[in-house]
Amino acid sequence: MKRLGWLTLSLLLLCAIPSAGQKKTITVYTDSFSGLSESLGVGKYNSVYLGQSGISMVRSITVPAGMKVILYSKDHFEGNSLVIFDDATTQYLQSKG
C-alpha cells in the first residue's frame, strides 16, 4: 500500500471558544476508527510524540464541534497542510493524499 503524506504527519490542534461541557480533544486512530488510538487536546504534536504512543500512521480522526485539526505532510509542521473540521475517515484522508 502506498504510504500517503497525510498519514505520516504532525498535527496542530486548535479550538474555538468551547461551550460548557464541550469535548476538547480529538482522537487519532491507526485504523478506520479502531486499532491503537490517542486522544489529544489543543496543542502541537509531531511524529515523535505520536510514535511514543504507538501511532506511526493516522488513518482516521474524530474531531468534535468547535475544533480544527491541521495535518502537515512533513514533520515539524512543514510541507503541505490539510485542515479538518469534522471526523475524517481513511478514505477521505487517502483522497487528499
Side-chain angles (χ1 to χ4, degrees):
M1 179 173 204
K2 180 181 173 188
R3 191 171 173 127
L4 299 170
W6 300 120
L7 304 179
T8 57
L9 45 90
S10 46
L11 302 168
L12 177 61
L13 307 183
L14 306 170
C15 183
I17 298 172
S19 27
Q22 181 182 8
K23 183 179 174 186
K24 300 175 193 169
T25 61
I26 64 124
T27 305
V28 294
Y29 300 88
T30 57
D31 207 345
S32 186
F33 302 107
S34 62
L36 291 175
S37 65
E38 179 76 14
S39 292
L40 305 167
V42 174
K44 293 181 176 183
Y45 302 91
N46 61 21
S47 63
V48 172
Y49 178 89
L50 294 172
Q52 290 172 345
S53 300
I55 309 291
S56 60
M57 294 190 84
V58 174
R59 299 215 178 255
S60 56
I61 303 173
T62 57
V63 182
M67 290 194 77
K68 171 171 75 172
V69 178
I70 305 173
L71 305 176
Y72 293 89
S73 60
K74 296 182 180 179
D75 205 10
H76 306 294
F77 313 100
E78 296 177 351
N80 295 326
S81 62
L82 174 66
V83 179
I84 298 176
F85 295 96
D86 298 304
D87 294 357
T89 63
T90 302
Q91 183 178 11
Y92 175 80
L93 293 174
Q94 288 177 335
S95 75
K96 301 299 179 182

